[in-house]
Amino acid sequence: VQLQASGGGLVQPGGSLRLSCAASGRIFDSSIMAWWRQAPGKEREFVSAITWTGGSTSYADSVKGRFTISRDKNTIALQMNSLKPEDTAVYFCAARRPKLVAVTDPRYDDWGQGTQVTVSS
């Protein structure tokens, strides 16, 4: 699966951004699509995931209620509201086939290039 992320930028605290991930290639209905992020000096962390059919979503506690993941055709979007400085990171989209591990496990099959999100006044 090929993944192309876009939509990052600079935003003030409390603002919003919408990230998009264009997916192509062999995608199964049961594939898992996810967003991860990595801040400077920190490990990559799970943000949110959605099944390709869109029937199930998951969120990290740190973004629950502020971020919304969705799928429209071959694009996975991450709507980010009420952004905080601690949301500053490079955001990556990822895809994997169904596996017997949690969506928060970083063993995804395919990763897109990152898009920088900076939350600062």
Side-chain angles (χ1 to χ4, degrees):
V1 177
Q2 292 75 48
L3 303 165
Q4 181 74 33
S6 61
L10 172 64
V11 63
Q12 293 187 343
S16 298
L17 275 178
R18 185 177 180 85
L19 304 183
S20 294
C21 177
S24 61
R26 191 172 185 182
I27 304 171
F28 301 93
D29 284 347
S30 52
S31 291
I32 306 297
M33 314 297 290
W35 286 95
W36 289 69
R37 66 186 182 187
Q38 187 166 20
K42 295 187 177 181
E43 292 187 355
R44 193 170 295 190
E45 67 170 350
F46 171 80
V47 176
S48 183
I50 188 170
T51 54
W52 185 248
T53 57
S56 179
T57 58
S58 300
Y59 297 92
D61 288 342
S62 59
V63 307
K64 202 170 293 184
R66 301 187 297 121
F67 291 12
T68 303
I69 192 170
S70 62
R71 177 205 156 202
D72 181 18
K73 296 182 181 178
N74 281 18
T75 298
I76 303 297
L78 186 68
Q79 178 66 41
M80 306 186 295
N81 299 328
S82 302
L83 283 161
K84 305 175 182 180
E86 51 263 44
D87 293 319
T88 295
V90 177
Y91 284 69
F92 300 88
C93 56
R96 73 173 205 208
R97 295 175 293 277
K99 299 178 183 178
L100 295 178
V101 296
V103 295
T104 54
D105 187 294
R107 287 173 286 179
Y108 279 68
D109 299 309
D110 303 288
W111 293 84
Q113 92 294 355
T115 184
Q116 177 71 47
V117 171
T118 303
V119 184
S120 175
S121 55

